Amino acid sequence: MTEPQGTDMPDDLTTAERAVWTAFENGRTCDLRDGDPFGDDPFAGPVWGPERSVRADVVAHLLLHGPPPRPGRVCALKLRGAYITGRLALAGGTVAPYVELAGCRFENEIKLPEAHFTTVRMVDCVIPRLEAARLHTEGDLHLPRCRVEHGIRLTDAQIGTDLLINQIRVGPDRRGRAIAADGLCVAQDLQAELIETRGEVSLRGAKVGVSLSLRGSRLRAVEGRRALNAPQLTVERTLYMTRAWVNVAGDQGATPPFGVVAGAAGGADGAGAAAVASDGRAPGAREQRFECHGGVRLDDGRFGDAIDFHQARFVLSDARREELSLRRIATPELRFNGERPEEGRVVLNGAKVVTLIDLSTSWPGPGGLAMGGFVYENLVPYSRFPLARRLEWVAAATPEYAPEPYERLAAVLRNSGEDADAREVLLAKQRRRRETLPLAAKLWGYLQDWTVAYGYRPGRAALWMAVLWAAGAVAFSRYHPAAIKPDEHPEWNPSLFALDLLIPVINLGQDGYWRLQGNWQWAAAALILLGWILATTVAAGASRLLRRS
């Protein structure tokens, strides 16, 4: 391209490029579309000719060293329906003008590493690849509804306000990553709603100043990669991996782009969301849930408000050992009420959650859940969650006996005033522990369980005592033994004698004065032995309760 003299327009510009140059000076939109909906479609339309072609070098020259604005105007690159030929390379450059490209096609990748922008908006564009490591913007970066065939790289990028990539479609790069954004920093919201990716979305160590929304998105892994790899992710508010309502009749040109009208909780998101139903649905909208085909890693993440998995669907593979990994996360609220994963594992080892909101049908079965060291303080079931199902939840997480999940659940139930349920949980813990004991200890455990339920049901001990006392009283009422010392004995009382044998330690003045013979000796010995068993098991249970209180 011939260099201009001063601020003059270069002589070798095409008609389309002259139109772009003039529009840039005036801060106006240069529209190269011809008005045919099919012909103007950047995704499926025919090949565009030279009348719509603009060289990438011309675009770069305007952005980096463009002419001054016309009097009363502000320079801006606003371009619609253009075919950008060549490679747009702005690496390390500082771009002051506002940039907005809509419905454009790029012949080659866009290279923006270490570039500085104010605001960049590319909507409905076809981009082979976007290379923007360490990009810095003072304002927004918008890429809604774009199609990027070979991945996006935003490693260590700094976005001054919002990053909006709603409804984008991204394919994998040579390393199997669709979006590589490790170390990304977004000052406000990261909106990635209704996106479709094939390849790993990598957000390792990323920081989001407000919320990260993946509502209604579909992430699909490729071989050897996760669908979402985001360890040490920090989100100051909420991570949404929930359903979205898709407004098929929305405004294609709106910002935020049409489509996302409501999240899982019924809140408004995007243009045209003012008139919604009570469930957050706009008239004529359809529901699209969040789907993830492949592993998810959120280990060591920090989330200021919540992680929301409402109606999310995770398709994991046992063969590839895929996991929904939430190891050591910290969040005030975890909403785990999506669809039950049929394969793979959900891992909560070391996670710290204040309030767990869950659904009984959302948790995987035995072998599919791990929660060693999982700490939570409150349980709020999304719908009815019976204690029996809650115990199955703990059992599913402990293929081998571990006391900590039972004790954590019991402590949470006791703190919420459910003392009876807490005792049932501790009883279930003792029964699981019994399975690991040797035969003699196991038999002793069965006896304690059958008699007094390990001391967690003291009423059962009182009942057994009453039954044995009554049986002993009736039996000894038919027998009057001889006194050991004829001159030193109380009056024979079969009821007090049976009770004196049954209650250890306490002396009621009957035992030790009578000479029992034959089978009556065995009957007395049985009462004494059963009394000691009942007393020791009740004492053991009481001591456990006192230690936990």
Side-chain angles (χ1 to χ4, degrees):
M1 186 186 73
T2 304
E3 290 296 324
Q5 300 296 323
T7 60
D8 294 336
M9 186 182 299
D11 295 332
D12 59 349
L13 298 186
T14 65
T15 301
E17 291 169 350
R18 288 177 177 274
V20 174
W21 190 285
T22 302
F24 178 84
E25 293 177 313
N26 289 279
R28 293 175 178 170
T29 300
C30 179
D31 194 343
L32 299 179
R33 297 176 299 177
D34 58 16
D36 177 17
F38 176 72
D40 291 334
D41 187 350
F43 308 120
V47 177
W48 292 345
E51 71 282 356
R52 301 178 66 164
S53 298
V54 179
R55 286 172 291 171
D57 287 344
V58 175
V59 174
H61 183 86
L62 287 172
L63 294 177
L64 297 175
H65 308 288
R70 294 291 179 88
R73 302 289 183 179
V74 176
C75 287
L77 181 66
K78 300 179 181 180
L79 189 55
R80 291 181 180 271
Y83 179 45
I84 312 297
T85 61
R87 177 176 286 105
L88 181 59
L90 301 171
T94 298
V95 178
Y98 171 79
V99 179
E100 181 178 305
L101 305 175
C104 295
R105 293 176 180 171
F106 288 82
E107 181 183 25
N108 292 306
E109 67 176 339
I110 301 175
K111 298 183 72 66
L112 307 176
E114 301 190 29
H116 286 66
F117 286 83
T118 51
T119 292
V120 181
R121 227 184 139 236
M122 290 186 280
V123 182
D124 288 315
C125 292
V126 177
I127 306 170
R129 174 172 169 76
L130 177 59
E131 176 67 47
R134 297 173 298 283
L135 171 72
H136 187 282
T137 70
E138 296 178 13
D140 297 340
L141 173 60
H142 286 195
L143 301 168
R145 299 195 303 276
C146 289
R147 294 187 185 178
V148 186
E149 184 178 357
H150 298 298
I152 297 173
R153 188 181 181 201
L154 288 168
T155 306
D156 297 318
Q158 304 283 323
I159 308 302
T161 50
D162 296 332
L163 173 59
L164 189 148
I165 57 173
N166 292 350
Q167 297 174 281
I168 198 171
R169 295 184 183 180
V170 189
D173 62 13
R174 290 176 296 179
R175 301 179 62 184
R177 297 176 300 182
I179 299 176
D182 300 340
L184 171 71
C185 183
V186 180
Q188 296 185 20
D189 288 311
L190 198 170
Q191 295 186 35
E193 301 178 346
L194 295 166
I195 73 172
E196 294 185 16
T197 61
R198 186 169 58 86
E200 183 175 273
V201 176
S202 184
L203 293 168
R204 294 183 300 175
K207 297 180 180 180
V208 179
V210 185
S211 293
L212 168 54
S213 177
L214 288 162
R215 291 187 177 104
S217 294
R218 293 173 177 172
L219 312 183
R220 187 176 295 272
V222 295
E223 187 66 31
R225 288 284 185 178
R226 297 179 176 88
L228 176 62
N229 186 26
Q232 298 181 330
L233 172 66
T234 300
V235 179
E236 294 297 330
R237 296 288 298 276
T238 301
L239 168 62
Y240 294 100
M241 301 172 75
T242 65
R243 69 179 181 180
W245 293 106
V246 182
N247 182 10
V248 296
D251 177 11
Q252 292 279 348
T255 301
F258 93 106
V260 183
V261 297
D269 296 284
V276 296
S278 59
D279 62 353
R281 175 176 56 85
R286 63 178 176 84
E287 178 183 286
Q288 181 168 307
R289 68 171 61 191
F290 172 85
E291 289 188 7
C292 190
H293 295 256
V296 176
R297 184 185 179 203
L298 295 172
D299 299 349
D300 301 294
R302 298 293 180 265
F303 306 89
D305 283 353
I307 301 176
D308 194 347
F309 292 139
H310 182 73
Q311 294 192 353
R313 181 170 183 254
F314 296 95
V315 181
L316 308 172
S317 170
D318 284 334
R320 294 191 292 269
R321 298 183 179 180
E322 292 176 337
E323 298 177 340
L324 169 56
S325 180
L326 304 172
R327 291 175 173 87
R328 300 175 299 279
I329 64 165
T331 179
E333 190 168 285
L334 173 60
R335 303 167 193 162
F336 198 93
N337 46 13
E339 183 178 307
R340 180 200 303 268
E342 297 299 328
E343 295 186 48
R345 292 204 313 162
V346 176
V347 183
L348 284 160
N349 293 342
K352 294 183 179 181
V353 174
V354 177
T355 301
L356 175 61
I357 301 175
D358 61 348
L359 193 64
S360 62
T361 56
S362 295
W363 295 103
L369 177 61
M371 53 182 187
F374 176 35
V375 177
Y376 54 97
E377 299 178 14
N378 304 297
L379 281 174
V380 182
Y382 189 73
S383 63
R384 188 171 179 269
F385 203 147
L387 181 61
R389 296 295 300 274
R390 186 66 75 181
L391 289 173
E392 292 175 5
W393 172 65
V394 176
T398 53
E400 297 182 358
Y401 168 70
E404 193 275 336
Y406 289 94
E407 293 172 356
R408 168 57 54 182
L409 176 58
V412 171
L413 291 173
R414 186 181 298 109
N415 291 338
S416 62
E418 303 291 340
D419 291 335
D421 287 348
R423 288 195 296 271
E424 288 297 318
V425 172
L426 294 174
L427 175 58
K429 185 195 81 167
Q430 291 296 331
R431 288 169 174 168
R432 282 292 304 278
R433 177 178 175 272
R434 183 175 65 208
E435 298 172 3
T436 67
L437 299 177
L439 180 60
K442 188 177 294 186
L443 293 175
W444 173 245
Y446 277 114
L447 181 60
Q448 291 188 85
D449 193 359
W450 183 59
T451 53
V452 292
Y454 288 96
Y456 291 113
R457 295 176 184 170
R460 184 182 294 185
L463 179 61
W464 276 110
M465 292 286 284
V467 170
L468 291 173
W469 180 30
V474 170
F476 285 114
S477 67
R478 300 179 180 181
Y479 176 64
H480 196 299
I484 297 174
K485 296 180 178 180
D487 298 331
E488 298 180 13
H489 64 84
E491 184 179 352
W492 170 248
N493 188 321
S495 296
L496 279 179
F497 182 72
L499 190 60
D500 207 354
L501 294 176
L502 194 59
I503 300 178
V505 180
I506 299 176
N507 187 353
L508 299 179
Q510 286 287 323
D511 187 21
Y513 292 96
W514 311 102
R515 188 188 306 277
L516 303 179
Q517 296 179 346
N519 291 333
W520 296 104
Q521 287 182 318
W522 289 104
L527 282 180
I528 294 171
L529 181 61
L530 291 173
W532 274 104
I533 290 174
L534 290 173
T536 53
T537 52
V538 169
S543 65
R544 283 194 292 265
L545 291 176
L546 288 173
R547 283 200 302 270
R548 284 166 177 77
S549 298

